[in-house]
Amino acid sequence: MPTLTVDGKTVEVPPGATVLQACEAAGVEIPRFCYHERLSIAGNCRMCLVEMEKAPKPVASCAMPAGDNMVIKTNTPLVRKARRGVMEFLLINHPLDCPICDQGGECDLQDQAMAYGFDHSRYKENKRAVSEKYMGPLIKTTMTRCIQCTRCVRFATEVAGVEEIGAIGRGETMEITTYLDRAVTSNLSGNVIDLCPVGALTSKPYAFAARPWELKKTESIDVHDALGSAVRLDARGAAVLRVLPRLNDDVNEEWISDKTRFAVDGLARRRLDRPYVRIDGKLRPATWEEAFAAIGAALQKTAPEKVGAIAGDLADAESILALKDLMEAIGTKNIDCRQDGAKLDASVRGGYLFNSGITGIEEADVILLVGTDPGSEAAVLNARLRKAWLRGGVKIAAIGPEVDLTYGVEWLGNSARVLWDIARGEHPFAEVFAAGKKAAVILGQGALQGPNGAATLFFARRLVEKSGNVRDGWNGFNVLHTAASRVGALDLGFVPGEGGLDVAGMIGGGVDFLWLLGADEIDVSRLDAPFVVYQGSHGDAGAHVADVILPGAAYTEKSGTYVNTEGRVQRGRRAVFPPGDAREDWAILRAFSERIGKKLPYDSLAQLRARMVELAPHFGALDTVGPAGWGEFGERNPMGKEPYALAVADFYLSNPIARASATMAACVAARDGQDMDHGATGTHG
Amino acid sequence: MSHGVAPAGPFEQPATFEFNAENKALADVIIARYPAGRQQSAIVPLLDIAQRQCGGWLPRAAMEYLSALLGMAPIRVYEVASFYTMFNMAPIGKHLVQVCTTTPCWLRGSDEVLAACKSKLGIGINQTTKDEMFSLMEVECLGACVNAPMVQINDDYYEDLTAEKTDAILDALARGETPAAGPQNGRQMSCPEGGPTTLTTLKAGE
């Protein structure tokens, strides 16, 4: 443990720490552009210069390993002069276009120029101009502003795992670009916008939309996948204008996927802002009174066992519980949250959780992916798997359709039988798995659908149990969910009761009255129910087949609880109010229950949450993950040769918000090679 | 996007590229110098071989071929190729005239040499003649300061130049001849002008 002195203060830092980190430990702020905690060290901006005793000149603190007995000074005339010089050099070619730059107000260069810059320029020469680069529909470039910190290059290469951004040319003519001006293909590409310390890379959809100081910032939780990434919702007036990641080392570090960041415009499109009732085959606007009356009348005509409810992927736990209580009050057992037909068993909590934990999976030495593409099902988790793989010491193998996961994977074939063989010890990989000290299986939702779903669950459990990977401190059985609502719904028991129908049974004509709580991923073309209520935020698949539409709130418009794939209970906060007549979902259900004389026993969100804790005590402990219960689950059936399908067919279009987003549509067009706003090709210039 | 010498006019990127048998064998020898997993280290010599095979420039297909050959991303190859001024991203003339204008050559009259090239070829710096015979480039020190001023034409150094001697060399090249490389004022290598001034008594072999 090196001990060194920073500005007269003695600090002890872990071995391998840099002088910059030692300075931070001593509470001294060091200006920097190229250095970033989660990227490799480049040492090319020179802004972090400090004075080191016995060194002939200032040293770059980000690249200097902290050593014993070093004496560092950060506030001497030499340091100030050095930093001022560096800043002057950086500003030689940086344009003075802050008033028209989207980074203005949250720009590292702007802030640090205030602290270290001159008040005037000594250069009369022309500034360098750099042509705009194309990086896809998400990233807007103004490369004249680039200071060549190479954070974006390092992010793409190291974290995202797509070597597509690079620095070409050299010296003053060095330019950051993608190969042949192609779009960046990563699902994490938007993070380079946050990383860029200047306004060279900014958000294309958000261009010229707002200034940072106009925005109301709300800390919330993402619902576009089941990781529950920490996000900040920036809203102005009634619109959420952008989504940014928040630091949460336990879940998303400081990255979010492109869908989380850019599907935000979908919140303002195709919204259901008033109730609708189908009259003579046509949906007509109605009042809440009329809508409730229509539902009440239909319910009256239906026998309780012919009533059913399906919870969607974006629903919060509160509204799921309210729906469950309502269905119980009506007297039906036909409820289900597994829209995709995954054969998950709600009775054993460990059987549907990502038990190793999102951070814990980094410790695994053998990982078997089954029927999953983490790159599109949980892009941020995929970056974590890549991080573990880059560090070394982990063998990753996969059963399922071959996709590019950005790390080395041994593909064992795409057939349920491969897993069967491994579980029975009849496959060479069985030995590899057994030899692992911390071996893990990650089951995608794709693996749990189809004829082999229940057996996959069983044999994955057996493989993990038999190899001794379910023990104190380590559980290698992992289910990777794709829906933010799923774990919460399973925790609350939103699955068919005894004799109740599941999703397939309800869709296939088993019920006469179906309540869809934001359920859009079901196959509505096969839906055969005489009366359908759709409660949700977007006019998507479910709303098209509905007889009554109840406008609900999107995740940015309500305070809701979500349980992520590892069982972490997190709470999202409201950033804006729902549009028009739309209401929070639990309140709609509560109001309707009173209307039919089956009043739900809670009048406020606090009472509803108290009931949630009563049902499942872990809802009372926010932001923590405890060990989950373990037991028997799955079905011991022989496995067929059927291939696994992936749960997320299209990353950009996996939920109603994303499907309503023009930005996501542009991403699809760019990926499929139909991007219209991209005129230049590599042969230009 | 491209830097350096401009082509004579619009050009097409060839669709494919592959080393010929001789160059493939040479490439294998170079790659084998590096330990397994470090083949990327061979990128610079391989780019040079590819450029020679393509007649003095690097088509995109060649860079992509090398990226596949060495197992690196195309952008990484492009970064290296664009870093060095010796790699050309567009077709250049048959003779690439590189005039050194760094201080020693400049003191000894590189301005006149450069002016002679410009007027003889009718092009400016970083341009290519319409007949695609000559490209002109200004370069930094090529390490022949003793024989300043000098130009490099393709792989040969022409030293101790004057404007007239430069004209003569360019004329000879235009006629299809190969003028003798080296000092153009009769001196031997970089020995003193007019013969040795020291160690004059020493005989070879003694």
Side-chain angles (χ1 to χ4, degrees), chain A residues 9 11-13 20-28:
Chain A
K9 195 171 161 187
V11 285
E12 202 177 324
V13 292
L20 189 146
Q21 284 164 330
C23 292
E24 282 186 338
V28 179

Side-chain angles (χ1 to χ4, degrees), chain A residues 416-441:
Chain A
R417 185 148 303 178
V418 180
L419 179 69
W420 199 33
D421 289 344
I422 295 172
R424 291 179 305 159
E426 290 172 14
H427 191 283
F429 187 75
E431 280 175 34
V432 179
F433 196 87
K437 288 191 181 67
K438 282 189 168 185
V441 170

Side-chain angles (χ1 to χ4, degrees), chain A residues 129-199:
Chain A
V130 183
S131 63
E132 250 50 308
K133 303 289 184 288
Y134 176 80
M135 289 198 183
L138 302 176
I139 304 165
K140 183 186 168 201
T141 67
T142 312
M143 298 320 281
T144 304
R145 296 178 188 144
C146 177
I147 57 169
Q148 284 104 27
C149 69
T150 68
R151 274 187 189 179
C152 52
V153 179
R154 283 175 283 146
F155 175 83
T157 308
E158 294 160 15
V159 179
V162 292
E163 285 193 82
E164 291 169 0
I165 307 181
I168 60 162
R170 64 167 164 182
E172 202 190 20
T173 58
M174 177 170 153
E175 295 181 6
I176 301 289
T177 183
T178 52
Y179 184 64
L180 304 184
D181 270 12
R182 284 179 191 153
V184 184
T185 57
S186 172
N187 288 343
L188 292 168
S189 66
N191 292 299
V192 299
I193 296 167
D194 293 339
L195 286 172
C196 184
V198 296

Side-chain angles (χ1 to χ4, degrees), chain A residues 251-315:
Chain A
V251 178
N252 59 316
E253 299 178 270
E254 57 182 284
W255 320 125
I256 51 173
S257 75
D258 286 352
K259 187 163 53 185
T260 301
R261 186 187 299 268
F262 291 109
V264 65
D265 64 326
L267 290 166
R269 289 161 188 268
R270 284 202 224 157
R271 284 306 298 269
L272 302 169
D273 56 359
R274 59 166 79 166
Y276 289 85
V277 175
R278 195 177 290 275
I279 300 169
D280 302 333
K282 225 177 153 196
L283 281 168
R284 293 176 199 282
T287 61
W288 280 103
E289 273 305 302
E290 291 161 356
F292 279 177
I295 304 171
L299 201 54
Q300 201 119 52
K301 285 189 288 185
T302 314
E305 65 272 14
K306 284 295 204 181
V307 173
I310 300 174
D313 288 354
L314 306 181

